[in-house]
PDB file of all heavy atoms in Angstrom:
ATOM      1  N   ALA S  29      46.102  -5.137  38.234  1.00  0.00           N
ATOM      2  CA  ALA S  29      46.865  -5.111  36.975  1.00  0.00           C
ATOM      3  C   ALA S  29      46.309  -4.003  36.100  1.00  0.00           C
ATOM      4  O   ALA S  29      45.078  -3.793  36.013  1.00  0.00           O
ATOM      5  CB  ALA S  29      46.641  -6.428  36.235  1.00  0.00           C
ATOM      6  N   CYS S  30      47.214  -3.240  35.485  1.00  0.00           N
ATOM      7  CA  CYS S  30      46.867  -2.176  34.578  1.00  0.00           C
ATOM      8  C   CYS S  30      46.069  -2.768  33.381  1.00  0.00           C
ATOM      9  O   CYS S  30      46.327  -3.793  32.883  1.00  0.00           O
ATOM     10  CB  CYS S  30      48.077  -1.439  34.019  1.00  0.00           C
ATOM     11  SG  CYS S  30      47.718  -0.192  32.787  1.00  0.00           S
ATOM     12  N   ASP S  31      45.098  -1.962  32.931  1.00  0.00           N
ATOM     13  CA  ASP S  31      44.161  -2.417  31.768  1.00  0.00           C
ATOM     14  C   ASP S  31      45.063  -2.674  30.552  1.00  0.00           C
ATOM     15  O   ASP S  31      44.796  -3.521  29.836  1.00  0.00           O
ATOM     16  CB  ASP S  31      43.164  -1.356  31.467  1.00  0.00           C
ATOM     17  CG  ASP S  31      41.832  -1.672  32.186  1.00  0.00           C
ATOM     18  OD1 ASP S  31      41.796  -2.758  32.772  1.00  0.00           O
ATOM     19  OD2 ASP S  31      40.935  -0.793  32.125  1.00  0.00           O
ATOM     20  N   ARG S  32      46.009  -1.727  30.419  1.00  0.00           N
ATOM     21  CA  ARG S  32      46.700  -1.742  29.087  1.00  0.00           C
ATOM     22  C   ARG S  32      48.030  -2.493  29.105  1.00  0.00           C
ATOM     23  O   ARG S  32      48.283  -3.325  28.271  1.00  0.00           O
ATOM     24  CB  ARG S  32      46.902  -0.322  28.574  1.00  0.00           C
ATOM     25  CG  ARG S  32      46.775  -0.185  27.111  1.00  0.00           C
ATOM     26  CD  ARG S  32      47.040   1.205  26.653  1.00  0.00           C
ATOM     27  NE  ARG S  32      48.363   1.590  26.731  1.00  0.00           N
ATOM     28  CZ  ARG S  32      48.882   2.708  26.159  1.00  0.00           C
ATOM     29  NH1 ARG S  32      48.085   3.535  25.566  1.00  0.00           N
ATOM     30  NH2 ARG S  32      50.100   3.029  26.311  1.00  0.00           N
ATOM     31  N   CYS S  33      48.874  -2.198  30.150  1.00  0.00           N
ATOM     32  CA  CYS S  33      50.229  -2.807  30.102  1.00  0.00           C
ATOM     33  C   CYS S  33      50.319  -3.980  31.118  1.00  0.00           C
ATOM     34  O   CYS S  33      51.356  -4.579  31.252  1.00  0.00           O
ATOM     35  CB  CYS S  33      51.316  -1.760  30.441  1.00  0.00           C
ATOM     36  SG  CYS S  33      51.128  -1.023  32.060  1.00  0.00           S
ATOM     37  N   ARG S  34      49.255  -4.341  31.845  1.00  0.00           N
ATOM     38  CA  ARG S  34      49.246  -5.446  32.728  1.00  0.00           C
ATOM     39  C   ARG S  34      50.237  -5.269  33.885  1.00  0.00           C
ATOM     40  O   ARG S  34      50.458  -6.258  34.645  1.00  0.00           O
ATOM     41  CB  ARG S  34      49.424  -6.699  32.052  1.00  0.00           C
ATOM     42  CG  ARG S  34      48.645  -7.067  30.818  1.00  0.00           C
ATOM     43  CD  ARG S  34      47.153  -6.737  30.859  1.00  0.00           C
ATOM     44  NE  ARG S  34      46.559  -7.554  31.961  1.00  0.00           N
ATOM     45  CZ  ARG S  34      45.218  -7.410  32.311  1.00  0.00           C
ATOM     46  NH1 ARG S  34      44.502  -6.509  31.757  1.00  0.00           N
ATOM     47  NH2 ARG S  34      44.772  -8.139  33.225  1.00  0.00           N
ATOM     48  N   GLU S  35      50.822  -4.152  34.121  1.00  0.00           N
ATOM     49  CA  GLU S  35      51.706  -3.874  35.234  1.00  0.00           C
ATOM     50  C   GLU S  35      50.809  -3.690  36.457  1.00  0.00           C
ATOM     51  O   GLU S  35      49.720  -3.193  36.403  1.00  0.00           O
ATOM     52  CB  GLU S  35      52.490  -2.617  35.053  1.00  0.00           C
ATOM     53  CG  GLU S  35      53.561  -2.671  33.991  1.00  0.00           C
ATOM     54  CD  GLU S  35      54.808  -3.344  34.593  1.00  0.00           C
ATOM     55  OE1 GLU S  35      55.212  -2.927  35.658  1.00  0.00           O
ATOM     56  OE2 GLU S  35      55.431  -4.136  33.848  1.00  0.00           O
ATOM     57  N   PRO S  36      51.439  -4.190  37.694  1.00  0.00           N
ATOM     58  CA  PRO S  36      50.638  -3.905  38.887  1.00  0.00           C
ATOM     59  C   PRO S  36      50.626  -2.441  39.184  1.00  0.00           C
ATOM     60  O   PRO S  36      51.688  -1.704  39.042  1.00  0.00           O
ATOM     61  CB  PRO S  36      51.353  -4.711  39.937  1.00  0.00           C
ATOM     62  CG  PRO S  36      52.739  -4.938  39.398  1.00  0.00           C
ATOM     63  CD  PRO S  36      52.647  -4.967  37.834  1.00  0.00           C
ATOM     64  N   LYS S  37      49.432  -1.906  39.616  1.00  0.00           N
ATOM     65  CA  LYS S  37      49.364  -0.499  39.917  1.00  0.00           C
ATOM     66  C   LYS S  37      48.322  -0.347  40.995  1.00  0.00           C
ATOM     67  O   LYS S  37      47.558  -1.229  41.312  1.00  0.00           O
ATOM     68  CB  LYS S  37      48.968   0.277  38.695  1.00  0.00           C
ATOM     69  CG  LYS S  37      47.523   0.125  38.230  1.00  0.00           C
ATOM     70  CD  LYS S  37      47.129   1.045  37.096  1.00  0.00           C
ATOM     71  CE  LYS S  37      45.675   1.012  36.867  1.00  0.00           C
ATOM     72  NZ  LYS S  37      44.781   1.703  37.820  1.00  0.00           N
ATOM     73  N   LEU S  38      48.263   0.849  41.595  1.00  0.00           N
ATOM     74  CA  LEU S  38      47.259   1.102  42.584  1.00  0.00           C
ATOM     75  C   LEU S  38      45.872   1.251  41.950  1.00  0.00           C
ATOM     76  O   LEU S  38      45.777   1.759  40.855  1.00  0.00           O
ATOM     77  CB  LEU S  38      47.574   2.433  43.374  1.00  0.00           C
ATOM     78  CG  LEU S  38      48.658   2.423  44.379  1.00  0.00           C
ATOM     79  CD1 LEU S  38      48.930   3.851  44.869  1.00  0.00           C
ATOM     80  CD2 LEU S  38      48.290   1.567  45.585  1.00  0.00           C
ATOM     81  N   GLY S  39      44.798   0.861  42.657  1.00  0.00           N
ATOM     82  CA  GLY S  39      43.534   0.991  42.081  1.00  0.00           C
ATOM     83  C   GLY S  39      43.068   2.423  42.001  1.00  0.00           C
ATOM     84  O   GLY S  39      43.475   3.282  42.849  1.00  0.00           O
ATOM     85  N   HIS S  40      42.188   2.857  41.108  1.00  0.00           N
ATOM     86  CA  HIS S  40      41.682   4.157  40.915  1.00  0.00           C
ATOM     87  C   HIS S  40      42.717   5.199  40.725  1.00  0.00           C
ATOM     88  O   HIS S  40      42.470   6.412  40.987  1.00  0.00           O
ATOM     89  CB  HIS S  40      40.786   4.560  42.061  1.00  0.00           C
ATOM     90  CG  HIS S  40      39.711   3.545  42.376  1.00  0.00           C
ATOM     91  ND1 HIS S  40      38.611   3.419  41.609  1.00  0.00           N
ATOM     92  CD2 HIS S  40      39.635   2.600  43.381  1.00  0.00           C
ATOM     93  CE1 HIS S  40      37.880   2.367  42.064  1.00  0.00           C
ATOM     94  NE2 HIS S  40      38.452   1.837  43.141  1.00  0.00           N
TER      95      HIS S  40
END
Side-chain angles (χ1 to χ4, degrees):
Chain S
C30 173
D31 265 353
R32 216 180 73 168
C33 63
R34 314 309 301 173
E35 286 280 315
K37 71 172 190 77
L38 284 172
H40 307 285

